[in-house]
């Protein structure tokens, strides 16, 4: 009989040994749950292309936040689904302190003060053009003109209780501009989670369904990154760190794990990853067809993010994962 010299399988022999040698851990406090808010009372509408994910009216949104907090989730990121009538060219509604978004922030802060509130900064949920920046009459996305709008939006969100501002727009110079605007308004303790490497991705499709926010004309390729590039992500990282980002993010997640790894190797601040709507939809669809074990494939996906070097994971699976982690704590891992 052949006797191998080396036996890596020894370290896989029993659950106890596997627990002992495991290199990466997933904690419930790594998770951030994205949430969608809509107008109305007692409304909970499912997103067609994201089964199990809902848009909540403010009252139910607060209940959901209480639930998430009880499960150990410590942060949420909020997006508004607005009626077309609330949208205009300059995204006026994005800084309306009495609007749905800002009312929601205040309500969550009041009822779940321990929950970290991350807010999204970009024009698209409020823009009649469906773009993250201001669109010129010729269809150009205007960078510097957009910065002013983003700064006003960010400061208004801080006033309503945001703990961390997350610009998802990919305009140049927005981290420095938002930092300066926050500081000038006295919000020196409000942090910035920059969407550092956000790619022009087809995986955002279900999110745009959720907000009805797809661009009316053109695409987002003049501001979101080309999926072919990784060095460019490192350049964006350098700029974001120089401009004062407290946290940096890669988006989407699973198709861009190499980018997560590249940033995690050099970043001086924690790296987050956004496991986006289309990634959620893929696993949900396969599970519904009976083609994948949902829980196992979700947990494996979460571990992939940790292994790639992400500290923080924004994911629509967050509540399910938190529930499973709590069960595991009682009964041991599956
Ligand atoms: C836009 C924004 C998008 C997402 C978050 N913020 C979509 C886009 O860029 O069109 C996508 C999130 C997801 O797909 O889950 N500012």
């Amino acid at each position: 009989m052949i006797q191998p010299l080396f036996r890596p399988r020894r370290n896989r022999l029993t659950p106890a040994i596997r627990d002992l040698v495991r290199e990466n851990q997933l904690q419930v406090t790594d998770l951030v749950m994205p949430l969608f808010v809509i107008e109305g009372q007692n409304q909970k509408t499912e997103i067609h292309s994201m089964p199990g994910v809902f848009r909540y009216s403010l009252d139910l949104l607060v209940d959901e936040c209480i639930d998430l907090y009880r499960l150990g989730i410590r942060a949420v990121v909020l997006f508004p689904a607005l009626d077309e009538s609330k949208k205009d060219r300059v995204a006026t509604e994005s800084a309306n302190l009495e609007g749905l978004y800002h009312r929601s922030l205040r309500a969550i802060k009041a009822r779940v003060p321990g929950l970290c509130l991350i807010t999204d900064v970009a024009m698209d949920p409020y823009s009649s053009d469906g773009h993250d920046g201001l669109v010129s009459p010729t269809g150009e996305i205007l960078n510097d003109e957009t910065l002013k709008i983003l700064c006003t939006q960010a400061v208004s969100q801080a006033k309503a209780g945001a703990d961390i501002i997350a610009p998802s727009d990919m305009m140049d110079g927005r981290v420095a501009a938002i930092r300066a605007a926050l500081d000038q308004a006295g919000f020196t303790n409000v942090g910035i989670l920059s969407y550092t490497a956000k790619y022009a991705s087809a995986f955002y499709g279900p999110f745009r369904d959720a907000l009805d926010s797809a661009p009316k004309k053109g695409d987002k390729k003049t501001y979101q990154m080309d999926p072919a590039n990784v060095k460019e992500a490192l350049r964006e990282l350098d700029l974001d760190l120089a401009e004062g980002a407290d946290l940096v993010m890669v988006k989407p997640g699973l198709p861009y794990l190499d980018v997560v790894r590249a940033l995690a190797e050099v970043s001086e601040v924690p790296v987050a990853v956004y496991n986006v709507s289309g990634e959620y939809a893929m696993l949900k669809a396969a599970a519904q067809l009976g083609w994948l074990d949902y829980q196992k494939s979700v947990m494996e996906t979460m571990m992939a993010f940790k292994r790639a070097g992400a500290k923080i994971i924004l994911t629509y699976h967050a509540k399910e994962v938190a529930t499973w982690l709590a069960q595991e704590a009682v009964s041991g891992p599956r």
Side-chain angles (χ1 to χ4, degrees), residues 50-191:
M50 302 175 77
V53 177
F54 300 87
R55 307 175 191 87
Y56 297 97
S57 57
L58 182 38
D59 48 340
L60 299 187
L61 179 78
V62 172
D63 294 345
E64 182 64 13
C65 287
I66 293 171
D67 261 22
L68 293 169
Y69 195 75
R70 283 203 183 118
L71 280 167
I73 290 178
R74 289 295 174 258
V76 296
V77 59
L78 187 64
F79 299 96
L82 296 176
D83 191 77
E84 219 35 57
S85 65
K86 288 267 191 306
K87 304 183 183 183
D88 62 20
R89 223 189 121 243
V90 293
T92 308
E93 183 66 15
S94 67
N96 180 3
L97 283 169
E98 296 312 316
L100 174 65
Y101 196 76
H102 296 71
R103 278 186 283 124
S104 306
L105 296 177
R106 287 194 295 268
I108 298 170
K109 251 297 148 238
R111 290 289 303 286
V112 203
L115 190 65
C116 171
L117 268 182
I118 304 176
T119 56
D120 186 74
V121 164
M123 288 176 65
D124 55 323
Y126 317 88
S127 152
S128 46
D129 295 305
H131 275 287
D132 294 25
L134 188 64
V135 183
S136 82
T138 59
E140 190 190 338
I141 311 299
L142 300 168
N143 194 89
D144 302 6
E145 292 79 350
T146 300
L147 293 182
K148 205 173 140 226
I149 297 172
L150 300 177
C151 288
T152 310
Q153 181 183 14
V155 170
S156 73
Q157 291 173 346
K159 282 183 189 157
D163 295 294
I164 296 177
I165 306 282
S168 68
D169 54 281
M170 290 301 278
M171 296 301 120
D172 291 335
R174 92 270 210 214
V175 171
I178 291 170
R179 184 69 271 156
L182 288 171
D183 290 352
Q184 207 182 5
F187 296 109
T188 51
N189 285 332
V190 172

Side-chain angles (χ1 to χ4, degrees), residues 11 14-25:
N11 283 354
T14 65
I17 294 175
R18 291 197 293 274
D19 283 352
L20 200 62
V21 302
R22 187 163 301 121
E23 297 174 39
N24 292 285
Q25 309 282 342

Side-chain angles (χ1 to χ4, degrees), residues 122 124 132 168 198 204 207-208 220 224 251 276-277 316:
D124 55 323
D132 294 25
S168 68
K198 177 172 177 180
Y204 308 148
F207 175 95
R208 294 179 191 171
K220 299 192 174 185
Q224 297 181 349
K251 174 182 177 183
V276 300
S277 56
Y316 302 95

